[in-house]
Amino acid sequence: MQRTPTAKVLYTTLGHPQLQIKDYDDVSAGSPDAKATITVRSPKALSYMITAPSTLGLARAYVSEQLDVEGDLYEALSAIWNDGDADVRFGARVQALLNLDPKALRWVAPPSVEIGPRGLMGLRHSKRRDAQVISHHYDISNKFYEYILGPSMTYTCACYPDETSTLEEAQAHKYDLVCRKLGLKPGMRLLDVGCGWGGMVRHAAKHYGVTALGVTLSQRQAEWAAKAIAADGLEGVAEVKYMDYRDVDDSGYDAISSIGLTEHIGMKELPNYFASLYAKLRPEGRLLNHCITRPTTTEGVKSEGFIDRYVFPDGELEAVGVITGVMQDAGFEIRHEENLREHYAMTLAAWGRNLEDNWDAAVAEVGLERARVWRLYMAGSRLGFERRGIELHQVLGVRVGNGGKAGVPLRPDWGV
């Protein structure tokens, strides 16, 4: 029986007017004027797509260079994920099994940069395993992150004052917004958990006169932050330590910021997480929790996919309703909440441009496979935020003092 050309089968499965597909037999399907062209370079790409669940197979094929994209990767993913669904469905897989190259019907080892559950040691969200996971993601290379993040070295959602703002302006505005929500004033003590390269710590110490401590599980982040603090002349008022937030043994902080850490905590650990932060605050002290969330409370935690294996192992996203509920149960009074979903899509677009502008240097720094992981991850995540597959919420809580005193203004005074 004569087999159906690979490109035609895949176009039937993934086809879109703005997408063209080529295969290793020099057969193409779709318009040659499409915004992006997907090229299947070998039967190995098909093996990945047929044998791996959901989008993981497409990711493996792309990361390993068995599948390539000519044109804008974001446009290609946008076409594939038409109506928000990028899965190669079961019926299409059956068709592929019946019609595609028999050489494709075999399991092949994933790319070397993939980390599966068996590659992690210890219990999920234990201190040992959390340290390994954070190191896997953040200790790649500070230089690589500089290429992507720009001068701010901030790896969390920015807040754009307007659509013409630059990434650096938006990141500075985000830090300032957090400082204002926390009501920071000279002489206060701030704890920033999961502090990254120390952007929040340095901003708060420099512009609000606080004494700020940041903690991170990434050794390289702590080293970079120490140099930046010294360069800014902030030694004595700003500090970043390489340590687990659970090992911070002092309390009485006036404010705590948690910017992009909750995603790493895990649902089962959330009560302990917020109880720990509550205990570290003084009465009337505030917590600002900034994290990626799911759009509903009905979705279960998803793992084993591309993000879990290549980007954030053990990452877990919860809905903002779950986050606020656990915060309340830990003792916090919720005083304010806002969704910055569109801002994260804009942030990811800017990071993607930075990566493309520094592509050759980034590849030289971390290798082609890892650079392709980040290119795919940022383009796909941008789509996720644009289409409300994921959201980004800031939630402000307060540890209420004696007699119900919250220490917050009658109306928000932090602007936009």
Side-chain angles (χ1 to χ4, degrees):
M1 181 179 68
Q2 185 177 9
R3 67 183 182 88
T4 305
T6 299
K8 293 184 178 181
V9 173
L10 291 180
Y11 190 78
T12 300
T13 304
L14 304 173
H16 185 276
Q18 296 304 321
L19 189 67
Q20 182 184 40
I21 296 179
K22 294 180 179 179
D23 65 25
Y24 48 89
D25 290 326
D26 292 326
V27 175
S28 63
S31 172
D33 298 323
K35 290 183 178 180
T37 297
I38 293 178
T39 301
V40 180
R41 300 202 176 280
S42 74
K44 189 175 180 180
L46 303 177
S47 298
Y48 281 137
M49 287 187 280
I50 292 170
T51 60
S54 188
T55 57
L56 178 59
L58 283 168
R60 283 174 170 170
Y62 178 77
V63 170
S64 64
E65 297 183 84
Q66 304 305 309
L67 180 149
D68 215 340
V69 175
E70 301 170 36
D72 191 288
L73 179 60
Y74 166 79
E75 295 289 350
L77 293 180
S78 183
I80 293 173
W81 290 348
N82 193 30
D83 298 325
D85 188 359
D87 290 355
V88 178
R89 297 181 181 277
F90 179 74
R93 291 189 188 208
V94 171
Q95 183 182 9
L97 288 168
L98 292 173
N99 295 292
L100 289 179
D101 190 334
K103 291 182 293 184
L105 309 184
R106 69 188 190 282
W107 183 88
V108 290
S112 61
V113 292
E114 179 173 316
I115 181 171
R118 294 180 182 178
L120 300 171
M121 304 295 292
L123 296 176
R124 191 178 180 93
H125 298 303
S126 63
K127 288 184 179 180
R128 178 187 181 188
R129 182 153 162 163
D130 281 352
Q132 184 183 4
V133 165
I134 295 301
S135 179
H136 167 79
H137 186 76
Y138 295 100
D139 286 343
I140 298 170
S141 159
N142 283 334
K143 178 60 68 175
F144 177 68
Y145 279 106
E146 288 175 5
Y147 292 141
I148 295 174
L149 305 180
S152 75
M153 282 296 276
T154 299
Y155 193 27
T156 49
C157 174
C159 182
Y160 285 77
D162 57 61
E163 293 184 355
T164 64
S165 300
T166 66
L167 174 62
E168 293 306 307
E169 291 169 343
Q171 291 291 15
H173 185 72
K174 183 267 300 293
Y175 284 135
D176 212 61
L177 178 63
V178 173
C179 290
R180 296 197 305 272
K181 285 183 176 181
L182 289 172
L184 297 185
K185 294 179 176 59
M188 285 186 169
R189 296 172 63 227
L190 168 71
L191 173 64
D192 185 35
V193 292
C195 68
W197 289 270
M200 176 65 188
V201 166
R202 289 184 289 122
H203 187 96
K206 183 175 183 179
H207 298 286
Y208 286 82
V210 304
T211 300
L213 169 64
V215 294
T216 174
L217 279 174
S218 168
Q219 181 72 58
R220 292 194 178 183
Q221 285 183 336
E223 292 169 354
W224 192 99
K227 294 177 181 177
I229 288 169
D232 287 347
L234 296 173
E235 292 169 303
V237 292
E239 182 180 13
V240 168
K241 291 183 178 181
Y242 170 53
M243 67 184 302
D244 195 299
Y245 77 91
R246 288 165 285 198
D247 294 329
V248 176
D249 57 7
D250 58 342
S251 58
Y253 285 95
D254 299 286
I256 297 176
S257 50
S258 174
I259 306 174
L261 175 60
T262 314
E263 299 91 331
H264 297 289
I265 299 300
M267 181 62 213
K268 290 183 179 179
E269 291 298 316
L270 278 183
N272 292 332
Y273 171 66
F274 284 115
S276 170
L277 300 186
Y278 183 87
K280 290 176 173 56
L281 278 172
R282 65 164 173 82
E284 299 182 39
R286 303 181 196 179
L287 164 69
L288 190 286
N289 194 79
H290 167 124
C291 71
I292 303 170
T293 62
R294 296 195 180 282
T296 73
T297 60
T298 58
E299 299 173 76
V301 173
K302 300 176 182 178
S303 61
E304 297 299 296
F306 167 67
I307 295 293
D308 190 60
R309 289 174 176 265
Y310 287 89
V311 186
F312 292 111
D314 289 351
E316 296 181 23
L317 304 182
E318 288 82 30
V320 66
V322 173
I323 298 290
T324 55
V326 177
M327 286 179 65
Q328 287 178 312
D329 292 343
F332 287 101
E333 181 179 52
I334 306 302
R335 301 299 305 211
H336 189 267
E337 181 280 326
E338 69 172 310
N339 188 349
L340 299 177
R341 175 172 64 84
E342 294 87 352
H343 293 259
Y344 216 157
M346 295 171 68
T347 304
L348 284 155
W351 289 343
R353 289 191 294 270
N354 284 347
L355 178 58
E356 297 306 321
D357 289 344
N358 295 285
W359 181 253
D360 291 342
V363 170
E365 184 69 21
V366 300
L368 183 57
E369 280 193 352
R370 198 173 295 278
R372 286 170 77 92
V373 166
W374 255 250
R375 177 192 266 168
L376 181 61
Y377 147 62
M378 289 189 294
S381 296
R382 175 185 170 186
L383 276 171
F385 283 105
E386 286 178 349
R387 299 186 179 186
R388 199 179 167 242
I390 42 180
E391 300 175 347
L392 188 289
H393 286 264
Q394 287 190 350
V395 180
L396 180 67
V398 62
R399 176 173 176 167
V400 175
N402 293 332
K405 293 184 64 177
V408 297
L410 287 176
R411 297 298 302 153
D413 60 354
W414 47 78
V416 295

